[in-house]
């Protein structure tokens, strides 16, 4: 079958498997070109199939020689459709890593579940005995709790509703979007899904199973952003969840003290991921930011950001570079006052008629499409894809 993109709002409803391979290979090439760096050799990545998690896996394997176990909740090809981009990312990464002699294990299932924790523990025991680094990169709209309750997160405001221009990738147009006011229960549920509770449960289970090496590190990914985005992010329900995640780092750090281990939160810059594209209003800020940062030569995509995190800020000659709150500030370029002044000057001028001439909305759209295997150079998108053959591949 010939596969063309199906976009609804800011969500991709399909992917191009061959394009996903090209995207993985492109990131691997970027890491090879940047050169090797020191890093961990046995890594567990929770949320490994896309965005920051996938970029972390590629950077650590092809930059630092790491063997990895990746946990993700993805779907393969079936009567229901082609399957998810993450499913194919897992396959292509595994093939590339194993060609170079690295171990790359893909565990497919619900990372929030105790069953998946036990499966990961069994795999670690079988392969290595211990891990040197645990990466927590989960983003989900819901979480099934141990007692059977299903809790859902929401993207809403707190304090007062927020109205602004949002970006429809489906129509390549600006549309007015509203973040309604969240109830206390919705705030609580969003923290339950997207906060640090599950991260701490993973670390406790791994420690109880003696699967953490002496000096083990763990890092979770977060975002804060500039004051101009606070009403839609930091002061919203997701901001409450991220604050809980930040606080959990201190608790996990105390928990790891007997191993000489440490817990950190990497505060990343705003980037195009499946999660960020879905947040109301934020993509408009992101499109402007990308244009300004590219003009000044300091833009980073997911793969460049993750390489800098590990090579320079976690495993470099100076050791971990973090602030007093256990935050590794990868948003240092984004929050440069000159960068923010330029973005702030543009944002009030954006209209549905002129937005394509401001910032880099074409680059934002291209990045989003490439997350799903589309618009990659060298891929013949008019060539038929043999889905039956792809269905025989194991993740």
């Amino acid at each position: 079958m010939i596969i063309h993109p199906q976009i609804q709002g800011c969500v991709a409803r399909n992917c191009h498997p061959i394009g996903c391979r090209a995207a993985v290979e492109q990131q691997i090439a970027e890491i090879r070109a940047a050169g090797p760096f020191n890093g961990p050799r046995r890594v567990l990545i929770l949320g490994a199939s896309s965005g920051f998690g996938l970029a972390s896996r590629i950077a650590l394997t092809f930059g630092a020689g790491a063997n990895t176990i990746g946990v993700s909740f993805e779907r393969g090809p079936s009567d229901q459709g082609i399957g998810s981009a993450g499913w194919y990312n897992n396959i292509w990464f595994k093939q590339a890593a194993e060609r170079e002699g690295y171990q790359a294990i893909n565990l497919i299932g619900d990372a929030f579940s105790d069953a998946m924790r036990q499966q990961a523990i069994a795999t670690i025991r079988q392969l290595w005995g211990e891990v040197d680094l645990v990466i927590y990169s989960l983003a989900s709209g819901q979480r099934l709790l141990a007692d059977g309750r299903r809790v859902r997160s929401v993207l809403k405001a707190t304090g007062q509703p927020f109205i602004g221009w949002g970006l429809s990738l489906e129509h390549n147009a600006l549309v007015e979007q509203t973040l309604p006011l969240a109830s206390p229960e919705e705030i609580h549920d969003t923290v339950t899904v997207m906060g640090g509770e599950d991260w701490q449960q993973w670390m406790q289970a791994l420690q109880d199973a003696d699967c953490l090496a002496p000096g083990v590190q763990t890092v979770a990914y977060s975002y804060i952003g500039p004051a101009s985005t606070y009403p839609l992010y930091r002061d919203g329900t997701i901001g409450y969840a991220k604050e809980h995640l930040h606080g959990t780092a201190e608790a996990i750090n105390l928990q790891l003290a007997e191993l000489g281990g440490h817990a950190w939160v990497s505060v990343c810059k705003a980037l195009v991921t499946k999660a960020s594209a879905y947040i109301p209003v934020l993509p408009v800020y992101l499109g402007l930011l990308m244009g300004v940062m590219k003009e000044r030569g300091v833009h980073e995509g997911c793969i460049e950001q993750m390489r800098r995190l590990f090579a320079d800020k976690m495993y470099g000659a100076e050791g971990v570079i973090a602030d007093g709150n256990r935050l590794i500030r990868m948003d240092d370029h984004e929050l440069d006052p000159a960068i923010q002044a330029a973005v702030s000057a543009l944002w009030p001028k954006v209209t549905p008629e002129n937005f394509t001439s401001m910032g880099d909305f074409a680059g934002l759209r291209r990045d989003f499409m490439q997350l799903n295997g589309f618009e990659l150079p060298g891929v013949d998108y008019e060539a038929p894809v043999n889905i039956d053959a792809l269905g025989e591949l194991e993740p």
Side-chain angles (χ1 to χ4, degrees):
M1 63 184 298
I2 296 175
I3 303 172
H4 295 298
Q6 299 172 5
I7 309 299
Q8 182 177 353
C10 286
V11 177
R13 294 302 183 188
N14 68 343
C15 72
H16 197 288
I18 307 306
C20 289
R21 180 171 62 191
V24 168
E25 291 173 346
Q26 179 176 285
Q27 293 183 75
I28 292 172
E30 291 185 32
I31 292 299
R32 290 192 191 282
F37 59 91
N38 293 324
R41 296 305 173 91
R42 303 168 298 180
V43 183
L44 172 64
I45 305 169
L46 307 171
S49 57
S50 185
F52 288 123
L54 176 63
S56 299
R57 202 175 189 190
I58 291 171
L60 288 168
T61 294
F62 294 96
N67 298 308
T68 62
I69 298 169
V71 177
S72 58
F73 196 26
E74 301 292 348
R75 66 185 187 281
S78 69
D79 294 340
Q80 304 300 314
I82 297 167
S84 61
W87 177 270
Y88 296 104
N89 291 340
N90 285 335
I91 290 172
W92 307 133
F93 170 81
K94 180 181 179 70
Q95 289 186 0
E98 289 182 342
R99 281 197 299 268
E100 300 294 321
Y102 300 115
Q103 292 173 306
I105 309 301
N106 293 318
L107 303 181
I108 308 299
D110 183 3
F112 289 129
S113 70
D114 185 63
M116 178 52 71
R117 279 190 278 273
Q118 294 310 310
Q119 186 179 357
I121 286 168
T123 305
I124 293 167
R125 284 174 167 167
Q126 179 183 356
L127 293 179
W128 313 320
E130 301 170 326
V131 292
D132 308 304
L133 172 66
V134 179
I135 295 171
Y136 192 83
S137 183
L138 293 184
S140 176
Q142 59 183 335
R143 175 183 173 192
L144 183 63
L145 301 181
D147 62 7
R149 289 186 297 125
R150 190 172 297 276
V151 181
R152 301 182 187 278
S153 62
V154 297
L155 294 171
K156 291 188 176 183
T158 64
Q160 60 183 4
F162 182 84
I163 301 174
W165 289 119
L167 177 65
S168 168
L169 289 166
E170 178 183 3
H171 301 292
N172 194 31
L174 292 194
V175 294
E176 188 174 85
Q177 292 180 329
T178 300
L179 274 74
L181 197 61
S183 69
E185 181 181 6
E186 287 175 321
I187 295 172
H188 178 270
D189 287 351
T190 302
V191 171
T192 300
V193 177
M194 296 292 290
E197 181 180 74
D198 182 65
W199 180 26
Q200 188 168 19
Q201 288 179 359
W202 266 99
M203 297 309 297
Q204 188 65 61
L206 292 165
Q207 189 168 0
D208 290 345
D210 295 325
C211 287
L212 300 179
V216 66
Q217 307 265 21
T218 184
V219 62
Y221 296 144
S222 184
Y223 181 69
I224 293 177
S228 59
T229 67
Y230 283 4
L232 55 106
Y233 197 97
R234 189 173 184 181
D235 294 340
T237 52
I238 193 170
Y240 275 74
K242 293 302 184 181
E243 283 298 316
H244 185 272
L245 185 80
H246 300 176
T248 303
E250 183 62 38
I252 296 175
N253 198 67
L254 293 172
Q255 173 186 322
L256 297 178
E258 63 184 77
L259 294 170
H262 296 283
W264 313 95
V265 171
S266 173
V267 181
C268 301
K269 73 179 284 285
L271 284 168
V272 180
T273 66
K274 292 180 181 180
S276 68
Y278 188 71
I279 299 172
V281 183
L282 188 65
V284 174
Y285 164 77
L286 179 53
L288 298 174
L289 176 71
M290 287 175 61
V292 171
M293 295 188 76
K294 286 182 178 181
E295 286 176 0
R296 298 173 187 237
V298 292
H299 174 72
E300 292 174 317
C302 285
I303 193 66
E304 295 91 353
Q305 177 106 148
M306 292 300 97
R307 186 191 185 279
R308 184 162 70 97
L309 169 64
F310 297 117
D312 298 347
K313 299 245 179 168
M314 284 193 70
Y315 295 96
E318 299 180 40
V320 178
I321 301 173
D323 66 18
N325 296 314
R326 316 205 63 76
L327 304 181
I328 302 173
R329 300 308 297 254
M330 300 305 298
D331 58 351
D332 45 0
H333 298 322
E334 175 185 354
L335 297 187
D336 180 290
I339 297 283
Q340 285 302 311
V343 173
S344 295
L346 292 173
W347 205 346
K349 301 176 183 178
V350 171
T351 69
E353 293 73 31
N354 70 10
F355 80 97
T356 55
S357 65
M358 305 177 73
D360 186 26
F361 289 93
L364 185 157
R365 179 179 175 81
R366 183 173 57 253
D367 285 355
F368 175 81
M369 298 301 287
Q370 291 185 353
L371 285 174
N372 301 287
F374 297 104
E375 298 188 14
L376 272 297
V379 178
D380 182 0
Y381 289 102
E382 296 306 316
V385 177
N386 188 339
I387 300 299
D388 290 337
L390 291 172
E392 297 174 1
L393 298 174
E394 293 293 331

